[in-house]
Amino acid sequence: MPFLSVNPNVLLSPVADGYIAYHTTANRLHELNPTAALLVELCDGSRDADAVLTIASPLLPPNSEAAVRGWIDQAVASGVLVEGNEAIVDGEVRELPADQLSELACQLRSEGKVQAAYLCQDRATQLLPDNNAYWRELGELAHIVGKRPEAREAYEHYMQFCPDDAEVRHLLTSLRDDEAPARVPDECIKQLYERFSAFYDSNMCDELGYSGPEHLNSVVGEALGERRGLSVLDLGCGTGLAGLTLKDRASRLIGIDLSAEMISRAEERGVYDHLQVAEITEFLRSVTETFDLIIACDALIYFGDLSQVIAPAVKRLNAGGVIGFSVEAASKPPWSLTDSGRYVHHADHVNEVAQAHGLEATYREEFLRMEYGKEVTALYVTMTSGDPSDS
Ligand SMILES: C[S@@+](CC[C@H](N)C(=O)[O-])C[C@H]1O[C@@H](n2cnc3c(N)ncnc32)[C@H](O)[C@@H]1O
C-alpha cells in the first residue's frame, strides 16, 4: 500500500476544534474535526493507511475502521492527502513559492477569505523569513483571524527589521498587554493616515459602510433643533465627511487634523472656511476663538480618558453650545485600548466625564461601520452646556 502524506499545497492550521486545511492550488478550504486532524498528523509520508489505522484505532471509537478508511480515500480524492511520491516532481516538492503564496494571501484577504489568507501568508513567511513585509502582513492576518500570540510574534519579528514603525510599535502595546498610553502616539496617527488618506473615502464609505457622519449629524440635530448660522469646529476632520453633513448649520466651519494628507483631501472638498494641521488637545489649548458646536466624528477612538479632550473643549464652547462625538462602544467601563490599536469607551465613562465638566450627556448606540465582516457599534454622544435660551 502506498505511503500517505499531506499534499504540500495544503496548508494546515490548528483551530479550537480541529484543523483548517487550505488547498492553495485548488482554492478549497477544508475544516477537519479532531479525528481528521489526528489522521492528517499521522500521514507524514512514513505510513500507509494500515499503519495509520494501527496507531489511530485505540484513540478512536470502537468499529470506526471503515469510517477511517473512507475518510482517507476521500482525502486522497480531494487532494488533501497524496500517495507515494506524488508530491515530488524531479526531486523537488511541488509547492507554491513564497511570492506566489503571499500574492495569493493578498487576493484571498481581499475576497474576505481570511483564514486561508493567513495560512498562505504564514507559509510564505516560513519560506522567506527575511522579508519584513511578509511579517507585517502575517501580524495583521493573525490579528484578523484571532490568533493573538501569533500576531504578537509576527509583529515582534517585523520590528527587528523596522524598529521605527510607529504603527506596529503601538499595536504591540496592546498585544503585549502593556499599559495603554493616554492617546495613540502622534507618530502612529501620522503614519497611518499618510498611507490611508488616498483610499480613506472609498474604503470607509463604499467597502465598510461607514455611517458615522450621518448618525452623528442626527444626534447633533436633536440637540441643536433649528439652530443655524453656527461657528463649528471639526476635530480630527479627516477628509471632511462629517464637515459635509454639518455645513448647512455653519456660518463658519473650521477643521483640524494631525494628518497633513487628510487635511489636503479635506481642502479638495471645499466645505471648510479654515483648515489646519494640528493635534486636537494642543489646538484646543491654544485657540482663542469659541464655538457653538464642536464635533469629533470617529476621532476620539484614538484617546483613552475622554477628559483629555472634553476639559479643553468646554473652555472653547459658547453658552448653549454642543459637543458632539462618536466613540466605539465598550462592554465594560470605563474605556480600554483594544488589539485594533483603537480605544473603546463605555457609556458610564461618557456620563462621568460630562458630569465632571458641568455638561449634560445624551447618547445613542448605532452602527458605525464593518470591520473584517463584523459590525462595529458606536456611541453617538452629545454634551450640552446649558439651555440655548440662556445664551
Ligand atoms: C477615522 S478618521 C475620521 C475622520 C473624519 N472625522 C470622518 O468622520 O471621516 C480619524 C481622524 O482623526 C485624526 N486624529 C487622530 N488623532 C488625532 C489627534 N490627536 N489630533 C488630531 N487629529 C487626530 C486622524 O488623523 C484622522 O484623520
Side-chain angles (χ1 to χ4, degrees), residues 38-111:
L38 168 67
L39 297 175
V40 159
E41 287 285 0
L42 292 172
C43 293
D44 61 357
S46 69
R47 300 180 185 93
D48 61 14
D50 286 343
V52 168
L53 257 167
T54 306
I55 298 177
S57 288
L59 308 169
L60 300 176
N63 306 320
S64 38
E65 179 176 338
V68 168
R69 285 194 190 278
W71 187 86
I72 290 175
D73 288 346
Q74 216 179 12
V76 171
S78 67
V80 170
L81 296 179
V82 290
E83 294 182 325
N85 284 335
E86 249 186 272
I88 312 285
V89 173
D90 298 335
E92 295 279 322
V93 173
R94 277 190 294 140
E95 184 181 15
L96 291 182
D99 58 340
Q100 281 185 34
L101 279 168
S102 187
E103 272 169 36
L104 182 57
C106 186
Q107 184 196 322
L108 289 163
R109 182 179 169 173
S110 69
E111 293 166 7

Side-chain angles (χ1 to χ4, degrees), residues 254-313:
I254 295 184
I256 68 132
D257 200 287
L258 199 47
S259 162
E261 291 77 15
M262 293 295 267
I263 286 284
S264 4
R265 301 269 159 188
E267 261 157 12
E268 288 164 19
R269 215 180 274 287
V271 296
Y272 293 91
D273 298 294
H274 174 71
L275 282 163
Q276 192 172 322
V277 176
E279 196 286 313
I280 289 173
T281 56
E282 277 169 27
F283 178 85
L284 288 170
R285 270 190 224 105
S286 60
V287 70
T288 51
E289 207 172 329
T290 55
F291 303 90
D292 302 310
L293 174 62
I294 299 178
I295 61 151
C297 189
D298 209 24
L300 303 192
I301 54 172
Y302 296 113
F303 287 79
D305 189 331
L306 294 172
S307 299
Q308 294 174 85
V309 177
I310 302 304

Side-chain angles (χ1 to χ4, degrees), residues 38-343:
L38 168 67
L39 297 175
V40 159
E41 287 285 0
L42 292 172
C43 293
D44 61 357
S46 69
R47 300 180 185 93
D48 61 14
D50 286 343
V52 168
L53 257 167
T54 306
I55 298 177
S57 288
L59 308 169
L60 300 176
N63 306 320
S64 38
E65 179 176 338
V68 168
R69 285 194 190 278
W71 187 86
I72 290 175
D73 288 346
Q74 216 179 12
V76 171
S78 67
V80 170
L81 296 179
V82 290
E83 294 182 325
N85 284 335
E86 249 186 272
I88 312 285
V89 173
D90 298 335
E92 295 279 322
V93 173
R94 277 190 294 140
E95 184 181 15
L96 291 182
D99 58 340
Q100 281 185 34
L101 279 168
S102 187
E103 272 169 36
L104 182 57
C106 186
Q107 184 196 322
L108 289 163
R109 182 179 169 173
S110 69
E111 293 166 7
K113 296 171 183 164
V114 287
Q115 292 281 2
Y118 167 74
L119 289 174
C120 291
Q121 193 59 44
D122 187 36
R123 184 64 189 143
T125 312
Q126 285 167 20
L127 293 173
L128 211 59
D130 288 342
N131 187 313
N132 57 21
Y134 283 11
W135 285 106
R136 196 184 204 279
E137 185 61 23
L138 182 63
E140 226 174 300
L141 282 164
H143 162 66
I144 296 171
V145 299
K147 290 182 174 282
R148 198 170 191 255
E150 286 81 354
R152 172 180 160 164
E153 209 176 292
Y155 281 142
E156 280 175 341
H157 220 102
Y158 167 79
M159 286 300 274
Q160 290 172 12
F161 297 99
C162 304
D164 296 332
D165 189 315
E167 266 180 270
V168 174
R169 194 182 311 127
H170 173 63
L171 290 173
L172 276 170
T173 302
S174 168
L175 289 168
R176 287 174 176 149
D177 293 318
D178 288 346
E179 196 183 329
R183 68 168 192 259
V184 175
D186 294 356
E187 279 317 306
C188 172
I189 297 287
K190 287 181 194 169
Q191 184 187 319
L192 169 63
Y193 283 96
E194 180 182 358
R195 186 165 42 82
F196 196 11
S197 60
F199 54 95
Y200 177 86
D201 286 3
S202 60
N203 178 247
M204 290 289 271
C205 301
D206 305 339
E207 290 163 34
L208 306 179
Y210 179 49
S211 311
E214 291 73 26
H215 287 311
L216 185 59
N217 186 32
S218 162
V219 294
V220 163
E222 280 167 25
L224 288 171
E226 293 306 310
R227 293 170 69 191
R228 294 277 186 284
L230 307 174
S231 56
V232 180
L233 172 62
D234 184 358
L235 300 171
C237 63
T239 62
L241 291 173
L244 198 59
T245 64
L246 289 158
K247 177 71 183 155
D248 286 353
R249 290 189 179 272
S251 58
R252 179 165 161 76
L253 179 58
I254 295 184
I256 68 132
D257 200 287
L258 199 47
S259 162
E261 291 77 15
M262 293 295 267
I263 286 284
S264 4
R265 301 269 159 188
E267 261 157 12
E268 288 164 19
R269 215 180 274 287
V271 296
Y272 293 91
D273 298 294
H274 174 71
L275 282 163
Q276 192 172 322
V277 176
E279 196 286 313
I280 289 173
T281 56
E282 277 169 27
F283 178 85
L284 288 170
R285 270 190 224 105
S286 60
V287 70
T288 51
E289 207 172 329
T290 55
F291 303 90
D292 302 310
L293 174 62
I294 299 178
I295 61 151
C297 189
D298 209 24
L300 303 192
I301 54 172
Y302 296 113
F303 287 79
D305 189 331
L306 294 172
S307 299
Q308 294 174 85
V309 177
I310 302 304
V314 161
K315 297 190 176 137
R316 309 305 344 137
L317 202 61
N318 291 329
V322 173
I323 300 174
F325 61 90
S326 65
V327 281
E328 288 180 28
S331 53
K332 278 194 312 209
W335 54 267
S336 59
L337 176 65
T338 73
D339 288 350
S340 68
R342 305 183 303 269
Y343 297 80

